[in-house]
Structure formats: structure tokens, C-alpha cells
């Protein structure tokens, strides 16, 4: 992957892309998934223009019945921020924390899907995200969702 910037103050950035996925289906009703990814992505933290992003993800899905599916997942993400991806003219005051550093994120998810009819499903999900960053805000976030889907 490469990032080419119109801003002459920024050097272009090249980073390898890699993704490996492993799916195991030990039984007809149980599925395991593992994934490793490394890539260059747009930065989530100002004033950085890009970040090296590496993630490890694992999940399990269990079809308890034809109407009920339970799922759980766990992910670790490492975002590497480098001062080289910032315009050198940006003053120190614009950096919330450090000019170089990492952001470590752990995300855990739990969910249940109820298939009310063959074309209607209700999904309930909960996620916990813990972010520890050298370059921007450190926080913990809890999120719950309820959704209804209808196929036509």
C-alpha cells in the first residue's frame, strides 16, 4: 500500500498489506474465525495523516437453534503513529499528547440474533472498547444496540 500526499511537506508512505483469515467449522452449528491484518490506513488522530494498523481478531458463533444465534468476539488493534506523517509546520500545541506513539485498543463483543420469521430478525449486541493512546484520548466505551432487519 502507498499514500501519496499533495502536501509537499509530507513524504509519501509505503507499507505492506497483509491479511490472513482462518475459519473453522467444527460442527454444523458452531463456527470459529481468526484474522490477522496489517495495513496503512488514514489516521484517526489529528494531526497525523496516516497510521500503521495491525489487528488480531477472533470470534465464535453458535446456532443454538434455527431461530437463535449467539456470537462473541475479541479484537486487539495496534495503531502506530509516526511524526513523519505530520506536516512539520504544525506546532506542538496541535498535538493532544506525543508526536510519536501507539494506540492499543481491545474490543469485546457479545450478540444474539433471533430469527422471528425466515425474513425477519432481531439482533441484540453489546460491545466494550478500551483505548489506551500515546497520541490522543484514552477512553473506555460501552455500546449496546438493538436492531430489526427485514428481507424483501
Amino acid at each position: 500500500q502507498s499514500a501519496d500526499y499533495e502536501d509537499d511537506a509530507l513524504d509519501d508512505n509505503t507499507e505492506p498489506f497483509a491479511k490472513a483469515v482462518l475459519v473453522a467449522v467444527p460442527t454444523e452449528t458452531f463456527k470459529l474465525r481468526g484474522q490477522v491484518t496489517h495495513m496503512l490506513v488514514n489516521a484517526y488522530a489529528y494531526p497525523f495523516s496516516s497510521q500503521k494498523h495491525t489487528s488480531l481478531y477472533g470470534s465464535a458463533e453458535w446456532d443454538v437453534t434455527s431461530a437463535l444465534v449467539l456470537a462473541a468476539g475479541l479484537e486487539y488493534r495496534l495503531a502506530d503513529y509516526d511524526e513523519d506523517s505530520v506536516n512539520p509546520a504544525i506546532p506542538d500545541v496541535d498535538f493532544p499528547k506525543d508526536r510519536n506513539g501507539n494506540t492499543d485498543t481491545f474490543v469485546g463483543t457479545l450478540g444474539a440474533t433471533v430469527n422471528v420469521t425466515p425474513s425477519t430478525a432481531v439482533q441484540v449486541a453489546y460491545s466494550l472498547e478500551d483505548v489506551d493512546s500515546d497520541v490522543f484520548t484514552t477512553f473506555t466505551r460501552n455500546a449496546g444496540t438493538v436492531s430489526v432487519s427485514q428481507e424483501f
Side-chain angles (χ1 to χ4, degrees), residues 34-37 53-58 74-78 105:
Q35 180 172 307
V36 178
T37 307
H53 178 91
T54 303
S55 69
L56 303 170
Y57 172 77
L74 187 61
E75 181 177 20
Y76 168 72
R77 296 189 294 246
L78 171 64
T105 305

Side-chain angles (χ1 to χ4, degrees), residues 43-66:
Y44 298 129
Y46 173 82
F48 299 92
S49 58
S50 64
Q51 63 173 308
K52 296 173 188 169
H53 178 91
T54 303
S55 69
L56 303 170
Y57 172 77
S59 67
E61 189 174 288
W62 178 32
D63 297 345
V64 179
T65 68
S66 62

Side-chain angles (χ1 to χ4, degrees), residues 6-29:
E6 291 181 12
D7 186 341
D8 293 334
L10 291 174
D11 292 331
D12 295 340
N13 196 345
T14 302
E15 188 70 22
F17 173 84
K19 182 176 184 177
V21 179
L22 177 64
V23 177
V25 185
T27 70
E28 287 184 18
T29 61

